[in-house]
Amino acid sequence: MRNFILILMILTFLSCDTNNQIELDGNWIITEMTYDGKSVFPKTLNQTIRIIYAGYENSESLTFKVADSTITLPGFESEKLKTEFTFDKGKLKINSNHSNSESELTNKIFSGTYDWSFSNIEKTLKLKSDKTYINMISQEKVISDAVDKVFDGF
């Protein structure tokens, strides 16, 4: 019986996916977004530098900085908006309650508490609140895939 319990404990430990921990830091390219069930897409004004990736030409991104719990949101016909987020009890909360009238739509769309799902293999992150759904891919993954394609022929 003791051997059975030991084997069961080892199998339980091995089945835990320790690599499935989400690493939020960095840029996340938005691949799909809905608000109130309608497809929406941010359009940030006055971007000085914009990196374009093949397959994601018109895409915008969210930038998480875990060290100070800030997130930079793309604008909806407005400038980017830097605000705070919290990650607690399996929920991600974006606190974008800025009183800037130019960012009103951005605040309305992004503010809220999100359930999230993360794929470590595909490096995708899905956020879903009561009104907003955001599907994203890690910029790091997009760059890695592009580099892999370059070296596939060698």
Side-chain angles (χ1 to χ4, degrees):
M1 183 66 168
R2 212 169 56 188
N3 288 342
F4 174 76
I5 292 173
L6 181 61
I7 291 172
L8 186 60
M9 288 173 54
I10 291 171
L11 287 174
T12 302
F13 177 77
L14 291 176
S15 68
C16 293
D17 187 1
T18 57
N19 292 326
N20 202 28
Q21 293 183 9
I22 184 169
E23 292 184 27
L24 282 177
D25 260 339
N27 292 325
W28 292 85
I29 300 167
I30 299 171
T31 58
E32 178 185 4
M33 189 169 179
T34 61
Y35 179 74
D36 269 344
K38 296 177 184 149
S39 184
V40 295
F41 210 77
K43 184 170 183 346
T44 304
L45 301 177
N46 300 325
Q47 295 188 62
T48 54
I49 298 175
R50 182 166 168 95
I51 300 170
I52 299 172
Y53 303 101
Y56 301 95
E57 285 81 4
N58 295 317
S59 298
E60 300 250 1
S61 63
L62 301 175
T63 304
F64 287 94
K65 188 173 177 190
V66 174
D68 62 0
S69 298
T70 59
I71 181 172
T72 304
L73 305 168
F76 280 86
E77 297 297 329
S78 65
E79 305 273 334
K80 288 186 174 197
L81 178 65
K82 187 173 183 178
T83 191
E84 296 176 347
F85 74 92
T86 56
F87 198 67
D88 188 34
K89 298 180 184 174
K91 303 277 185 186
L92 177 86
K93 184 174 182 181
I94 298 176
N95 309 310
S96 61
N97 296 321
H98 295 268
S99 59
N100 184 345
S101 63
E102 295 154 356
S103 304
E104 188 175 327
L105 183 57
T106 303
N107 282 325
K108 183 177 171 183
I109 291 174
F110 284 109
S111 290
T113 302
Y114 293 84
D115 292 318
W116 61 273
S117 63
F118 173 70
S119 169
N120 197 28
I121 295 168
E122 298 169 356
K123 298 292 187 204
T124 57
L125 176 62
K126 296 177 183 180
L127 302 177
K128 183 167 181 20
S129 72
D130 57 340
K131 292 192 176 247
T132 304
Y133 169 77
I134 310 167
N135 188 14
M136 298 172 281
I137 185 167
S138 169
Q139 174 182 312
E140 183 180 303
K141 171 74 169 152
V142 172
I143 293 170
S144 174
D145 288 351
V147 170
D148 288 347
K149 283 181 186 177
V150 169
F151 291 105
D152 276 346
F154 294 111

